[in-house]
Amino acid sequence: MQRQRNSRWLIASVTLASISLCTNSFAASDEKLLNMCKACHGQTGHNPFPSIPNLAQQNSQYMVEQLTAFKNGQRQDKTMSKVAKLLTTEQMQQMAHYFSKGKD
Ligand code: HEC
């Protein structure tokens, strides 16, 4: 009995913690963009698709460089070239930071 109550409390507090983490670091418009990234790359950057790279725990500076390269045409991909053009440098940094912390 007691144990069950404790684990429920734990789940609730973990859920709350992750919600507040998201809302603290992202404005509403950025949140929409981030949701788009998550649709392909996965909630934490881990994803089951063989053609989509995992971003979780990748170096954030590397990710910003890759996004910049997609945006300026140095690196080409039919999806990411379009996606990166929607991002400001600041948004790239925020998203790279978010995924660099990603855990499963
Ligand atoms: C429609 C699916 C899709 C969406 C949406 C998407 N990506 Fe990607 N992303 C990919 C694919 C596919 C690649 C691999 C491209 C290649 O092979 O060059 C990639 C590559 C990347 C890379 C380079 C990874 C590496 O290891 O070099 C980064 C960083 C990245 N995406 C970040 C993002 C961010 C941030 C967003 C949201 C703003 C986003 N992606 C949205 C599909 C997607």
PDB file of all heavy atoms in Angstrom, residues 10 13 25 29 39 59 75-76 81 90 97:
ATOM      1  N   LEU A  10       6.203   9.803  -7.005  1.00  0.00           N
ATOM      2  CA  LEU A  10       7.449   9.963  -7.747  1.00  0.00           C
ATOM      3  C   LEU A  10       7.164  10.244  -9.220  1.00  0.00           C
ATOM      4  O   LEU A  10       7.728  11.163  -9.807  1.00  0.00           O
ATOM      5  CB  LEU A  10       8.291   8.687  -7.603  1.00  0.00           C
ATOM      6  CG  LEU A  10       9.688   8.767  -8.201  1.00  0.00           C
ATOM      7  CD1 LEU A  10      10.516   9.753  -7.390  1.00  0.00           C
ATOM      8  CD2 LEU A  10      10.346   7.405  -8.178  1.00  0.00           C
ATOM      9  N   SER A  13       5.919  13.775  -9.681  1.00  0.00           N
ATOM     10  CA  SER A  13       6.919  14.835  -9.548  1.00  0.00           C
ATOM     11  C   SER A  13       7.908  14.819 -10.708  1.00  0.00           C
ATOM     12  O   SER A  13       8.364  15.867 -11.148  1.00  0.00           O
ATOM     13  CB  SER A  13       7.634  14.752  -8.203  1.00  0.00           C
ATOM     14  OG  SER A  13       8.204  13.501  -8.038  1.00  0.00           O
ATOM     15  N   SER A  25      12.724  26.908 -20.705  1.00  0.00           N
ATOM     16  CA  SER A  25      13.788  27.251 -21.640  1.00  0.00           C
ATOM     17  C   SER A  25      13.284  27.581 -23.051  1.00  0.00           C
ATOM     18  O   SER A  25      14.055  28.000 -23.885  1.00  0.00           O
ATOM     19  CB  SER A  25      14.821  26.130 -21.686  1.00  0.00           C
ATOM     20  OG  SER A  25      14.183  24.887 -21.701  1.00  0.00           O
ATOM     21  N   SER A  29       6.749  29.800 -29.664  1.00  0.00           N
ATOM     22  CA  SER A  29       7.057  29.565 -31.078  1.00  0.00           C
ATOM     23  C   SER A  29       8.222  28.578 -31.223  1.00  0.00           C
ATOM     24  O   SER A  29       8.235  27.746 -32.127  1.00  0.00           O
ATOM     25  CB  SER A  29       7.406  30.879 -31.766  1.00  0.00           C
ATOM     26  OG  SER A  29       8.480  31.478 -31.096  1.00  0.00           O
ATOM     27  N   ALA A  39       9.508  15.128 -33.721  1.00  0.00           N
ATOM     28  CA  ALA A  39       8.717  14.205 -34.536  1.00  0.00           C
ATOM     29  C   ALA A  39       9.636  13.281 -35.326  1.00  0.00           C
ATOM     30  O   ALA A  39       9.333  12.118 -35.548  1.00  0.00           O
ATOM     31  CB  ALA A  39       7.802  14.982 -35.471  1.00  0.00           C
ATOM     32  N   ASN A  59      27.435  16.349 -29.157  1.00  0.00           N
ATOM     33  CA  ASN A  59      28.070  17.617 -28.802  1.00  0.00           C
ATOM     34  C   ASN A  59      27.238  18.784 -29.348  1.00  0.00           C
ATOM     35  O   ASN A  59      26.917  18.816 -30.537  1.00  0.00           O
ATOM     36  CB  ASN A  59      29.476  17.586 -29.406  1.00  0.00           C
ATOM     37  CG  ASN A  59      30.247  18.832 -29.103  1.00  0.00           C
ATOM     38  OD1 ASN A  59      29.988  19.880 -29.684  1.00  0.00           O
ATOM     39  ND2 ASN A  59      31.190  18.720 -28.202  1.00  0.00           N
ATOM     40  N   ARG A  75      26.082  21.844 -46.267  1.00  0.00           N
ATOM     41  CA  ARG A  75      25.632  20.463 -46.135  1.00  0.00           C
ATOM     42  C   ARG A  75      24.223  20.411 -46.687  1.00  0.00           C
ATOM     43  O   ARG A  75      23.430  21.330 -46.437  1.00  0.00           O
ATOM     44  CB  ARG A  75      25.666  20.045 -44.656  1.00  0.00           C
ATOM     45  CG  ARG A  75      25.291  18.594 -44.448  1.00  0.00           C
ATOM     46  CD  ARG A  75      25.538  18.119 -43.033  1.00  0.00           C
ATOM     47  NE  ARG A  75      24.919  16.821 -42.839  1.00  0.00           N
ATOM     48  CZ  ARG A  75      24.909  16.127 -41.710  1.00  0.00           C
ATOM     49  NH1 ARG A  75      25.506  16.624 -40.642  1.00  0.00           N
ATOM     50  NH2 ARG A  75      24.321  14.952 -41.635  1.00  0.00           N
ATOM     51  N   GLN A  76      23.916  19.363 -47.448  1.00  0.00           N
ATOM     52  CA  GLN A  76      22.622  19.302 -48.120  1.00  0.00           C
ATOM     53  C   GLN A  76      21.835  18.069 -47.703  1.00  0.00           C
ATOM     54  O   GLN A  76      22.376  16.975 -47.642  1.00  0.00           O
ATOM     55  CB  GLN A  76      22.831  19.213 -49.639  1.00  0.00           C
ATOM     56  CG  GLN A  76      23.712  20.301 -50.206  1.00  0.00           C
ATOM     57  CD  GLN A  76      22.924  21.348 -50.977  1.00  0.00           C
ATOM     58  OE1 GLN A  76      21.818  21.083 -51.435  1.00  0.00           O
ATOM     59  NE2 GLN A  76      23.502  22.532 -51.119  1.00  0.00           N
ATOM     60  N   SER A  81      17.861  20.802 -44.887  1.00  0.00           N
ATOM     61  CA  SER A  81      18.180  22.094 -45.508  1.00  0.00           C
ATOM     62  C   SER A  81      17.003  23.050 -45.352  1.00  0.00           C
ATOM     63  O   SER A  81      17.192  24.228 -45.059  1.00  0.00           O
ATOM     64  CB  SER A  81      18.507  21.916 -46.990  1.00  0.00           C
ATOM     65  OG  SER A  81      19.612  21.052 -47.120  1.00  0.00           O
ATOM     66  N   GLU A  90      20.303  31.624 -32.499  1.00  0.00           N
ATOM     67  CA  GLU A  90      19.937  31.423 -31.095  1.00  0.00           C
ATOM     68  C   GLU A  90      19.077  30.170 -30.908  1.00  0.00           C
ATOM     69  O   GLU A  90      19.273  29.401 -29.970  1.00  0.00           O
ATOM     70  CB  GLU A  90      19.198  32.664 -30.588  1.00  0.00           C
ATOM     71  CG  GLU A  90      19.225  32.758 -29.085  1.00  0.00           C
ATOM     72  CD  GLU A  90      18.288  33.837 -28.562  1.00  0.00           C
ATOM     73  OE1 GLU A  90      17.396  34.292 -29.298  1.00  0.00           O
ATOM     74  OE2 GLU A  90      18.475  34.206 -27.392  1.00  0.00           O
ATOM     75  N   HIS A  97      21.428  22.533 -27.403  1.00  0.00           N
ATOM     76  CA  HIS A  97      21.607  22.368 -25.963  1.00  0.00           C
ATOM     77  C   HIS A  97      20.595  21.347 -25.426  1.00  0.00           C
ATOM     78  O   HIS A  97      20.943  20.443 -24.677  1.00  0.00           O
ATOM     79  CB  HIS A  97      21.435  23.718 -25.264  1.00  0.00           C
ATOM     80  CG  HIS A  97      21.562  23.626 -23.774  1.00  0.00           C
ATOM     81  ND1 HIS A  97      22.782  23.519 -23.149  1.00  0.00           N
ATOM     82  CD2 HIS A  97      20.618  23.591 -22.792  1.00  0.00           C
ATOM     83  CE1 HIS A  97      22.577  23.427 -21.831  1.00  0.00           C
ATOM     84  NE2 HIS A  97      21.276  23.474 -21.601  1.00  0.00           N
TER      85      HIS A  97
END
